[in-house]
Amino acid sequence: MNKKTKLYLSITMNIFIFLATVGVVISYFFGNDGEYHIEPLFRFNLFTTDSNILCAVSALIMAFFQIRKIKNNKYVPKWAFIFKYTGTCAVMLTFFTVIFFLGPSMGFMQMVFGGTSIYMHFFGPIIAFLSFCFFENDEALSIKHSLFGMIPTALYGAWYCTEVVFITIENGGWADFYGFNQGGYWYISYPIIIAVSFGLCMLIRAVHNKVSSIQLTKH
């Protein structure tokens, strides 16, 4: 596959990610309350929604610079690759959390295949992963860039702990809807999630860089 074909495929995938995510989020305000009947505004308290929105914005920015590259032969800035990487890491954490934790504990039909969840939990993350690792290979990423991929997890984790553990539902905070504070062990689950996030960031970086090096060797 030549570079031009890859570029067009990447643009298509990035635009699809943006439009599909916007469509799903808008649907929340028009009766799409899902299997658990979640209020529209509360959706923005969920990492699933936040990570997909972040990825959608990063995909739109990437598509903008890719289209500019076609028109003006300008390079896509490295910060756009890092931003797309960050968005990809966030949605892939959503994917793995659903597949290995929430799915087994809450049911796959509701968490993975229930309505628009199949996009937010499955197709969106997979498309983001494929586009970034296999079609957006102009820039290699260093280990320090993995820290950027962890930022959404660290920030959301701190927010979640504040609402669930320190404010508590009795004082207007959140219920422990992800179950990360079962038995009061948030101080164990939070570091584990951060560690898993870092490992996932390193894995995505490794796949991206490996594909990039193979393509550079061929050309």
Side-chain angles (χ1 to χ4, degrees):
M1 186 183 299
N2 61 49
K3 288 186 175 181
K4 191 171 184 180
T5 301
K6 286 182 59 180
L7 184 59
Y8 278 109
L9 285 173
S10 178
I11 292 171
T12 302
M13 294 169 85
N14 280 319
I15 292 175
F16 175 80
I17 289 170
F18 178 76
L19 293 178
T21 303
V22 169
V24 171
V25 172
I26 290 175
S27 75
Y28 295 151
F29 296 89
F30 291 90
N32 175 23
D33 59 356
E35 295 290 332
Y36 294 97
H37 307 292
I38 300 171
E39 292 293 326
L41 290 179
F42 192 81
R43 290 276 186 176
F44 296 97
N45 295 346
L46 305 179
F47 188 73
T48 293
T49 305
D50 298 338
S51 62
N52 274 274
I53 290 174
L54 176 67
C55 188
V57 173
S58 71
L60 180 64
I61 291 173
M62 177 64 77
F64 168 80
F65 284 115
Q66 289 174 319
I67 293 170
R68 189 187 69 164
K69 179 178 180 179
I70 292 173
K71 292 183 175 180
N72 303 321
N73 198 31
K74 292 185 178 181
Y75 286 104
V76 177
K78 186 154 189 171
W79 68 263
F81 282 98
I82 296 172
F83 190 24
K84 178 65 185 297
Y85 169 65
T86 301
T88 301
C89 290
V91 290
M92 285 303 292
L93 181 63
T94 293
F95 172 82
F96 278 102
T97 300
V98 169
I99 294 298
F100 294 107
F101 180 70
L102 298 180
S105 64
M106 297 183 180
F108 282 99
M109 289 306 296
Q110 292 88 353
M111 293 305 300
V112 183
F113 301 111
T116 53
S117 291
I118 195 170
Y119 173 80
M120 302 293 267
H121 289 156
F122 186 80
F123 287 116
I126 293 299
I127 294 171
F129 174 79
L130 292 176
S131 65
F132 179 74
C133 288
F134 295 95
F135 298 98
E136 296 158 11
N137 306 110
D138 293 347
E139 293 280 354
L141 299 174
S142 65
I143 292 178
K144 69 179 181 181
H145 291 135
S146 298
L147 299 177
F148 286 95
M150 293 175 60
I151 289 175
T153 305
L155 291 179
Y156 182 84
W159 182 25
Y160 187 88
C161 284
T162 298
E163 293 284 347
V164 173
V165 179
F166 301 112
I167 298 177
T168 72
I169 189 172
E170 291 80 10
N171 296 308
W174 300 346
D176 184 21
F177 47 80
Y178 283 132
F180 293 147
N181 190 40
Q182 291 184 22
Y185 292 122
W186 65 270
Y187 53 87
I188 296 176
S189 62
Y190 182 60
I192 289 175
I193 292 169
I194 294 297
V196 169
S197 175
F198 180 70
L200 185 59
C201 291
M202 291 292 287
L203 176 62
I204 294 170
R205 169 187 166 271
V207 175
H208 175 269
N209 286 355
K210 181 65 175 179
V211 174
S212 299
S213 65
I214 291 173
Q215 292 179 356
L216 286 174
T217 301
K218 287 183 178 180
H219 293 87

